[in-house]
Amino acid sequence: MTATALRAPDSGPAARVAPAPATQTLTGTGTMVRLVLRRNRVRLAVWWVVLVGMFAYVGSYYSDVFATQAALDDFAALSNTPSIKALTGLAAAPATLGGAVWTKIWMTSALSLAFGVVFLVTRTGRADEELGRTELLRSRALGLHAGSLASWLVNAALCVAVGAGIAVVSATGGLDPTGTGITGSLVVGASVAGVGLVGLGIGALAGQVASTSRGANALGSVVLGVLYVLRMVGDLGDGRLTWVSPVGWGQEMQPWGANRWWPLWLLLALTAVLLAVAARLEARRDLGSGLLPERAGPAGAPARYGRPLGLALRLQRGPIIGWGVTVVLTALLFGSVVESMTDLIDDAGSSVTAMVGGTGVDALLSLLVVMIALITTVFALQSAVSLRADEAGGTVEPQLAGALSRTRWALERLVIPAVGSAVLLLVGGAGMGAGYGSIVGDSGQTVRLAGAALAYWPAVMVLVGVAVALFGWLPRLAVPLTWGVLAGLWFVVVIGDALHLPAWLLDLLPFSATPAQPLEPLRWTPLVVMTLVAAGLVWAGIARFRTRDVQPA
């Protein structure tokens, strides 16, 4: 007689819990889609109008400027320079109207869409989780992945809508060469949408890795910045690093040239992988935590945490380290490619003169120094807008409940963007100089380029001053307006000629007003003026913050 032993199912704390069916984890997705659309309808519309509108405007303007093939040939020769390839890449068909428009606006459109999607995904994901909205929504019949999926669907629709809009304005604007149909227009729209979708995947994954919205935005921005730099170095070199970067994949779709579709499948596959990993992490982590959760602190906090500066340094140490590493790596990459581009710059000296105001290696060094300054500006503004973030989150009120004045709180907090940006500029310039100097055997390049980068500190502080002034006078709009000002300045720098802005107005912009270093002689007057302007803006913002009510979110 054989006895069959039956094991009772595990019932202890070590018992494995079967995962919920996919249909349950997606419960309420339709409702969440409507909520995400309702909360972000203005932002979504603005992103679409700006990106599609700028592409349409540049296309219309260039159709008038380049009315002859000779003009297009001249522009193509001007575009095939190291400085232009570094900033925008080289169009597959630069001697066509579509290629000229691509050179002017494609990189700006694609990267702007990617960055915008990262911020939007964080706003409807990690930020809501951080503020407790996600927990409140999940208290009802809402699936685990419903909120994330809704955000991903809405932002994916934005990417597709922007790509479709660009394709339409390109086709209707006559950017396709005669007799070729509209294939080039379709490819250029798809390439922008594809890069934007990769930004969606990066933002979704960053929201699962970081434990705060600030950290998620910083991580996503750093990743996109690194991908852009890899594409830049690849275009300045043998092209292999271009294929390491998804930004390079979109570029290599080559509208109006090879009209490749297969890189789009690479972009879509990478997006799918990133979203799948993000969904997997969301299913395994605790609500409110990240893959890299905040470690539990000691029972007793150091005395320095009782000061605004000490506490801010503790809260912002992740972004500070992240941006520091980004600047160092970027500077070393830049320094490593300068010498290899010397011959190309000499061969195209007149073109470089037209684009950056000089010839030789100093023209390229000046361009790369500006790139270091722009990266540093993003760090400085992210730190400056944290004043509003802490006010909106309610953490500033307990600090001001005692003897701490608002002026002292704000000034101590602003030490981080002020000193931090100066340090990053010095480190970035020195790193680039050390890399370049080690190749040419000139150790003096380290000090020379460190000083060249530091010359842009007043320009960075002007934008910090704008952020502080907005924080004081328009607190509820301070964060989007601050980033809008930075985006606006970038657009003006990229397509200033298409906007018909007078030269004197362009020269008033902070980075344009700074003498190009090390190409031009250093003039102290604009630096002193910009420093005074920055101080005035900071004073105006803090003075208003001292007298107004604290306005939480």
Side-chain angles (χ1 to χ4, degrees):
M1 186 175 183
T2 304
T4 303
L6 298 178
R7 294 180 58 187
D10 295 336
S11 57
R16 299 181 63 185
V17 179
T23 53
Q24 294 183 15
T25 62
L26 301 180
T27 300
T29 300
T31 301
M32 287 303 300
V33 167
R34 292 192 293 272
L35 178 61
V36 172
L37 285 172
R38 175 67 176 80
R39 291 183 59 209
N40 296 278
R41 63 190 187 281
V42 175
R43 291 176 175 84
L44 295 170
V46 168
W47 277 107
W48 190 90
V49 169
V50 169
L51 293 177
V52 176
M54 293 301 289
F55 199 97
Y57 187 86
V58 172
S60 175
Y61 175 72
Y62 270 25
S63 64
D64 294 333
V65 172
F66 302 115
T68 65
Q69 186 59 46
L72 288 171
D73 292 339
D74 291 340
F75 182 82
L78 188 66
S79 300
N80 191 20
T81 60
S83 56
I84 298 303
K85 288 196 293 185
L87 286 175
T88 68
L90 181 63
T96 65
L97 180 58
V101 173
W102 187 98
T103 301
K104 192 65 175 177
I105 199 65
W106 183 88
M107 190 66 69
T108 300
S109 300
L111 285 179
S112 296
L113 179 60
F115 275 104
V117 170
V118 167
F119 298 148
L120 288 170
V121 169
T122 298
R123 183 176 188 270
T124 54
R126 173 54 64 181
D128 280 357
E129 197 169 328
E130 188 177 6
L131 295 174
R133 292 194 184 103
T134 302
E135 185 175 13
L136 179 63
L137 290 169
R138 287 187 185 176
S139 65
R140 305 302 297 268
L142 185 67
L144 175 66
H145 299 307
S148 296
L149 180 60
S151 174
W152 300 346
L153 289 174
V154 170
N155 286 287
L158 171 64
C159 295
V160 173
V162 170
I166 288 176
V168 169
V169 299
S170 173
T172 57
L175 300 188
D176 297 287
T178 304
T180 61
I182 62 170
T183 303
S185 295
L186 296 176
V187 172
V188 75
S191 64
V192 173
V195 175
L197 288 172
V198 171
L200 167 61
I202 291 172
L205 187 56
Q208 304 302 320
V209 173
S211 55
T212 64
S213 58
R214 187 181 303 168
N217 280 332
L219 178 59
S221 299
V222 167
V223 171
L224 286 176
V226 170
L227 295 178
Y228 176 76
V229 170
L230 287 174
R231 192 279 319 162
M232 175 188 296
V233 176
D235 284 355
L236 291 175
D238 57 11
R240 283 182 290 185
L241 280 180
T242 300
W243 287 101
V244 175
S245 169
V247 179
W249 302 350
Q251 174 181 309
E252 290 299 325
M253 290 180 68
Q254 296 188 2
W256 301 295
N259 286 328
R260 297 169 175 162
W261 285 101
W262 62 265
L264 177 62
W265 305 119
L266 294 179
L267 295 169
L268 295 177
L270 178 59
T271 301
V273 170
L274 292 173
L275 294 179
V277 174
R280 184 71 171 174
L281 292 177
E282 185 177 42
R284 289 179 171 270
R285 66 175 177 82
D286 293 331
L287 182 66
S289 67
L291 183 64
L292 301 175
E294 294 286 339
R295 294 181 298 173
R304 64 179 181 274
Y305 290 174
R307 296 175 56 89
L309 176 59
L311 180 60
L313 284 172
R314 171 62 180 83
L315 295 176
Q316 298 182 40
R317 67 180 181 182
I320 291 173
I321 294 173
W323 284 112
V325 172
T326 300
V327 168
V328 170
L329 293 178
T330 302
L332 293 176
L333 283 172
F334 285 170
S336 67
V337 302
V338 173
E339 174 64 13
S340 63
M341 298 309 303
T342 301
D343 293 339
L344 289 176
I345 294 175
D346 292 339
D347 293 341
S350 61
S351 297
V352 176
T353 302
M355 294 306 301
V356 297
T359 60
V361 71
D362 281 351
L364 181 58
L365 288 174
S366 299
L367 172 66
L368 298 179
V369 167
V370 171
M371 298 301 295
I372 295 292
L374 287 172
I375 296 173
T376 302
T377 302
V378 178
F379 155 76
L381 291 184
Q382 186 181 45
S383 180
V385 298
S386 68
L387 274 69
R388 173 55 193 166
D390 285 355
E391 180 187 19
T395 59
V396 68
E397 290 184 276
Q399 298 180 63
L400 299 177
L404 179 66
S405 69
R406 297 190 182 193
T407 300
R408 178 186 164 192
W409 176 81
L411 288 177
E412 287 198 28
R413 292 293 299 269
L414 291 174
V415 169
I416 297 177
V419 176
S421 60
V423 172
L424 287 183
L425 288 170
L426 281 171
V427 170
M432 187 167 65
Y436 172 56
S438 65
I439 296 175
V440 300
D442 183 5
S443 60
Q445 293 293 334
T446 301
V447 175
R448 179 175 179 246
L449 294 185
L454 188 60
Y456 285 90
W457 183 79
V460 175
M461 290 308 299
V462 167
L463 295 179
V464 171
V466 171
V468 177
L470 290 171
F471 162 70
W473 290 91
L474 298 170
R476 298 189 187 278
L477 299 175
V479 175
L481 285 180
T482 297
W483 294 117
V485 168
L486 180 61
L489 286 175
W490 174 253
F491 276 125
V492 170
V493 170
V494 172
I495 61 170
D497 57 340
L499 297 176
H500 305 285
L501 297 176
W504 64 265
L505 180 58
L506 294 175
D507 290 339
L508 289 178
L509 299 178
F511 288 98
S512 300
T514 304
Q517 297 293 300
L519 183 63
E520 300 177 359
L522 182 62
R523 303 188 307 275
W524 288 99
T525 300
L527 304 186
V528 172
V529 170
M530 283 191 288
T531 301
L532 294 175
V533 171
L537 290 169
V538 169
W539 175 85
I542 294 178
R544 176 57 180 165
F545 174 61
R546 190 170 59 242
T547 58
R548 68 169 172 82
D549 293 334
V550 174
Q551 299 181 24

